[in-house]
Amino acid sequence: MNALRLALVGAPNCGKSTLFNGLTGGRAKAANYPGVTVETRSGHFTTPAGRPIDLMDLPGIYGLNAQSADERVALEVLQGRMAGKEKPQGLIVLIDAALLRTHLHTVLQFQSLGYPMVVVLNMFDLAERDGMQIDVAKLEASLGVPVIPTVSTRKAGREAFLRRLDAEIEKWAEIEPVAQDTQTLRQTQQAARKMAAEAILFEPPMNRITRGIDQVVMHPLAGPLVLLTILFLMFQAVYSWAEPFMEAIEAGAAHIGAFVGASVTLPWLHDLLVDGVIAGVGSVLVFLPQIIILFIFILSLEASGYMARAAVMMDELMLRVGLNGRAFIPLLSSFACAIPGIMAARSIDSERDRLTTILVAPLMTCSARLPVYTLIIGAFIPPETIGLFNQQGLVLFGLYIAGIFSAIIIAFVLKRTATRGSSQTLILELPTYKLPTPRDFFLNLWMRIWAFLKRAGTIILSTSVVLWFLARYPTSATSLKESYAGMIGSWLEKVLAPIGFNLEISIALVPGMAAREVAVGALGTVYAVQGGEENTAGLADVLQSAWSMPTALAFLAWYVFAPQCFATLATARRETNSWRWTAFMFGYLFSLAYIMAGLTYHLASALGL
Amino acid sequence: MITLDQVKTGERFRVVGFSETNPALVARLREIGFAEEDEVELLYTGPLARRPLCFRLNRTMIALRLDEAIAIEVESWT
């Protein structure tokens, strides 16, 4: 039996993805469509009657008047205009039962596409708990399609839904959708409001808990304080909570290294495995705990409904620097990694604002810069306290601030030059506060972890091996300068010497193009420190004697700006769908890195540091 | 009749119409749920220059910028 293609559609935040994960068991495949900037997820399941279903989860849309990139994708799929994606054969239209009055017109709009469909009155339990009373049979009669009240977070709710679905979809495969004449939006709304008024027997005022929380969270004074506290907590957690786990991973990698070192006797293979593979990949895996903690925070903020509020609070500030309030979320995610940040920019409906956000996202200090910063700060900045603050901590904080301020200035300049001329809108619905659904939460977290591990296993593994080879061969080489890596590096050194970089740095920056954290491992390898980055204290000592203070500071300044991450550039290319903008991003970031590192070097030298 | 950017917190208003000047914006406002006869109330304002504006629309909450609120015409509920 051919699988029936169904699509989940509905307003943002009505529980589509929860239903999707519940039905497909979360076995979602994120699919990239070439030339298209967005992912739609599809999954597969079988109904109780044994019908195979291909289910698509589409980005949330309020109607057929799509504006932002993710909304356009949903619309293109529904209208069968998406290349490489077959039109669905039927729709499962979701609507938050508690918002029936305000959102019912979205259902009517989807109905006008002519697909066979069922309507899911989702989160029916929450609406009932609020005191909402809905005459489902009446709604069904006026819509003329099945209306199924469901709680998609519960198994029983999904099973009841599937039994109804089974009864309805029997003939769907044979139906050829015929789009109806579209009414004006105003007419659709009036029809929907009339149906809703008839079907809603009792409608209580807004959710009390949400109102209560918002009295504090949205307060003009308390609100920003809450936001700052949450951000402060988040960065604290990333640094302090992660530490024991990071030490455990380091120790684990050292054990594996020692074990492999003892059992592999073939010299070149021994070196390759210990210095190349285990040291290289291990140095990156160490940052997994920090990434997990950061994403736990970000995902909780998203799932609870707080993120939308943070975006609203930041809107005016962001607007004044030339960004959009919705850019706050992508930029916050960029502190973990610019890649999810750049992808999250899809929700910004103005193309120009989205572009500006993508262009400045790499300036947010991502977690991959931490190993670089930590190494250099540890080696060169004395751990003295100034007043209440630790000097090393201050420098680290300063580097974060440097990134944020540059982003603000650059966004400001871009909005007045390259990305000028956009009509900006906010128009953002603030969801009712909800506890995150554990299943969705862990699935999302796992997807982030898996992406990180995959990167460590592919890009970082391969660059480690290649660098190890380049630095060790040809066998005739008696010094680093004569190795392949040295030949490449000495060419680069000519360019980098004016900003205080030496041959070793020049070499390390080449594999460091793949990912920022690779530079730490690369420095370890080129300085031929036993155990490389496994023993950062050792590397720090070597750097202390090999580098001058101005060089170290210039290196830090370089890393605030340098776009040393292929994956980010590739993501920017895919999301902007433009080589020109990607080249622009690459160019402006490298120019800034060069200028700022040079300034730092000469200023520090002049000051006699 | 006043526009939604002028309302004070704590008072209920009824949507009576939309400005004709920007049809794309009106379409967007209608899609997210604003319609004639709906009940709106200003709940919160942003920390900087009292912007943006957070409204209750029936049972949901929607944040608008000033130049978006200006497109919605309202009258006192009573």
Side-chain angles (χ1 to χ4, degrees):
Chain A
M1 196 176 348
N2 276 338
L4 191 68
R5 292 187 307 278
L6 300 181
L8 278 170
V9 289
N13 257 309
C14 65
K16 289 181 299 298
S17 295
T18 302
L19 183 60
F20 178 86
N21 289 339
L23 290 177
T24 62
R27 288 184 299 272
K29 269 184 296 183
N32 290 324
Y33 291 96
V36 177
T37 56
V38 173
E39 300 164 330
T40 57
R41 297 196 300 163
S42 30
H44 191 84
F45 70 95
T46 309
T47 64
R51 273 196 197 78
I53 306 281
D54 273 334
L55 190 64
M56 268 181 280
D57 183 19
L58 298 180
I61 44 176
Y62 288 103
L64 308 178
N65 176 37
Q67 306 243 325
S68 68
D70 52 353
E71 291 171 343
R72 276 201 302 272
V73 164
L75 203 59
E76 277 171 21
V77 170
L78 289 178
Q79 295 173 336
R81 292 188 285 124
M82 168 80 87
K85 191 105 193 158
E86 269 190 284
K87 231 159 87 148
Q89 294 166 295
L91 304 183
I92 300 171
V93 180
L94 270 82
I95 175 168
D96 181 346
L99 305 178
L100 183 63
R101 186 185 298 276
T102 319
H103 284 178
L104 187 61
H105 68 274
T106 62
V107 176
L108 295 190
Q109 289 200 73
F110 294 131
Q111 225 175 350
S112 76
L113 292 169
Y115 288 106
M117 60 190 256
V118 294
V119 173
V120 174
L121 267 183
N122 201 21
M123 302 189 257
F124 202 70
D125 59 336
L126 295 177
E128 279 190 322
R129 198 186 302 161
D130 277 3
M132 189 109 173
Q133 288 169 27
I134 300 169
D135 185 341
V136 177
K138 186 117 191 197
L139 186 61
E140 204 166 60
S142 38
L143 281 172
V145 293
V147 176
I148 311 170
T150 295
V151 181
S152 62
T153 49
R154 300 230 186 87
K155 195 154 187 265
R158 292 193 299 269
E159 277 168 358
F161 161 74
L162 281 178
R163 279 194 297 277
R164 282 290 303 272
L165 189 68
D166 246 334
E168 300 296 337
I169 59 179
E170 216 165 326
K171 299 230 156 46
W172 281 16
E174 296 148 31
I175 298 174
E176 187 54 40
V178 182
Q180 296 162 8
D181 289 339
T182 41
Q183 293 178 300
T184 66
L185 204 46
R186 180 176 181 169
Q187 289 167 326
T188 311
Q189 271 184 320
Q190 279 173 338
R193 290 294 196 272
K194 190 161 166 285
M195 285 181 199
E198 286 167 6
I200 295 171
L201 303 175
F202 180 74
E203 192 177 32
M206 251 180 80
N207 183 284
R208 251 204 230 122
I209 298 166
T210 296
R211 278 300 297 271
I213 297 175
D214 277 337
Q215 295 287 357
V216 180
V217 162
M218 297 298 284
H219 187 274
L221 284 175
L225 278 177
V226 170
L227 179 60
L228 273 178
T229 311
I230 290 175
L231 292 183
F232 179 77
L233 240 160
M234 186 166 100
F235 285 115
Q236 274 295 307
V238 165
Y239 292 114
S240 52
W241 299 357
E243 199 148 320
F245 301 102
M246 294 173 75
E247 280 165 11
I249 293 176
E250 259 175 354
H255 274 301
I256 295 171
F259 174 75
V260 173
S263 44
V264 178
T265 46
L266 203 60
W268 70 266
L269 187 63
H270 171 277
D271 289 358
L272 173 65
L273 288 178
V274 175
D275 297 343
V277 176
I278 297 170
V281 176
S283 73
V284 175
L285 280 187
V286 164
F287 298 96
L288 184 61
Q290 288 190 328
I291 289 180
I292 293 177
I293 290 173
L294 194 68
F295 276 116
I296 286 176
F297 266 86
I298 288 176
L299 291 173
S300 317
L301 293 180
E302 274 173 4
S304 64
Y306 182 74
M307 272 297 203
R309 280 145 177 103
V312 168
M313 254 183 295
M314 297 299 292
D315 185 66
E316 185 63 20
L317 189 66
M318 301 286 266
L319 184 66
R320 290 190 186 187
V321 303
L323 281 166
N324 188 304
R326 292 196 189 186
F328 179 71
I329 296 166
L331 292 181
L332 188 66
S333 317
S334 299
F335 279 107
C337 174
I339 294 165
I342 287 172
M343 286 177 14
R346 282 174 196 166
S347 63
I348 300 171
D349 52 14
S350 146
E351 270 310 305
R352 293 271 142 177
D353 282 358
R354 188 163 85 98
L355 187 58
T356 315
T357 309
I358 291 172
L359 290 174
V360 301
L363 286 168
M364 300 293 121
T365 303
C366 68
S367 52
R369 285 179 176 96
L370 272 181
V372 180
Y373 288 174
T374 318
L375 173 71
I376 306 297
I377 289 174
F380 288 90
I381 310 294
E384 288 160 14
T385 51
I386 305 174
L388 283 173
F389 302 102
N390 177 300
Q391 201 170 298
Q392 293 183 331
L394 277 181
V395 172
L396 187 65
F397 186 68
L399 291 168
Y400 271 89
I401 295 293
I404 295 169
F405 268 93
S406 327
I408 291 174
I409 292 165
I410 285 154
F412 190 84
V413 174
L414 282 177
K415 282 302 289 183
R416 273 148 197 81
T417 53
T419 61
R420 191 174 41 197
S422 68
S423 65
Q424 306 186 34
T425 53
L426 175 66
I427 315 187
L428 186 63
E429 183 170 358
L430 303 180
T432 309
Y433 287 107
K434 284 186 191 71
L435 283 174
T437 320
R439 177 189 209 123
D440 293 341
F441 185 84
F442 288 111
L443 242 145
N444 280 329
L445 188 62
W446 171 245
M447 272 156 60
R448 309 297 173 123
I449 294 172
W450 181 236
F452 176 80
L453 291 177
K454 226 163 61 182
R455 213 157 77 98
T458 54
I459 303 173
I460 294 166
L461 177 66
S462 46
T463 50
S464 301
V465 170
V466 170
L467 178 74
W468 171 83
F469 174 82
L470 290 177
R472 197 172 188 275
Y473 293 95
T475 34
S476 62
T478 50
S479 69
L480 181 65
K481 220 177 162 66
E482 289 167 25
S483 70
Y484 294 126
M487 295 174 208
I488 302 168
S490 56
W491 175 80
L492 204 59
E493 194 194 358
K494 292 190 184 71
V495 186
L496 294 175
I499 61 168
F501 287 8
N502 55 26
L503 174 67
E504 288 82 0
I505 297 179
S506 306
I507 293 172
L509 287 183
V510 177
M513 263 315 294
R516 293 180 176 89
E517 62 270 40
V518 173
V520 172
L523 280 173
T525 309
V526 294
Y527 276 107
V529 177
Q530 194 57 45
E533 62 293 326
E534 225 53 78
N535 183 2
T536 35
L539 181 56
D541 288 341
V542 175
L543 293 184
Q544 235 171 3
S545 50
W547 294 10
S548 67
M549 181 63 123
T551 295
L553 294 178
F555 192 70
L556 287 176
W558 171 271
Y559 262 95
V560 172
F561 301 98
Q564 304 246 103
C565 176
F566 271 140
T568 300
L569 293 169
T571 310
R573 158 72 187 92
R574 202 182 65 207
E575 295 293 306
T576 57
N577 201 13
S578 152
W579 283 111
R580 265 186 47 209
W581 283 116
T582 313
F584 174 78
M585 179 165 120
F586 184 79
Y588 102 80
L589 285 171
F590 257 131
S591 314
L592 267 180
Y594 193 82
I595 293 166
M596 296 312 281
L599 273 178
T600 309
Y601 178 71
H602 291 289
L603 201 68
S605 304
L607 289 172
L609 288 172
Chain B
M1 185 211 75
I2 54 173
T3 49
L4 200 52
D5 58 303
Q6 298 166 13
V7 305
K8 297 210 160 44
T9 48
E11 281 175 62
R12 297 189 298 156
F13 292 87
R14 178 184 293 108
V15 176
V16 292
F18 295 87
S19 124
E20 306 279 325
T21 51
N22 188 346
L25 174 64
V26 173
R28 196 102 181 117
L29 291 168
R30 280 190 187 277
E31 279 210 331
I32 207 165
F34 287 96
E36 286 82 359
E37 299 300 310
D38 277 0
E39 185 184 330
V40 283
E41 176 189 349
L42 178 60
L43 293 181
Y44 315 103
T45 52
L48 194 62
R50 296 173 50 82
R51 291 172 200 175
L53 306 168
C54 259
F55 294 99
R56 173 177 69 80
L57 167 69
N58 304 322
R59 301 193 72 233
T60 178
M61 248 163 81
I62 293 169
L64 299 179
R65 286 188 177 156
L66 224 53
D67 51 358
E68 292 152 6
I70 244 173
I72 302 174
E73 295 158 355
V74 294
E75 62 178 22
S76 181
W77 184 259
T78 46

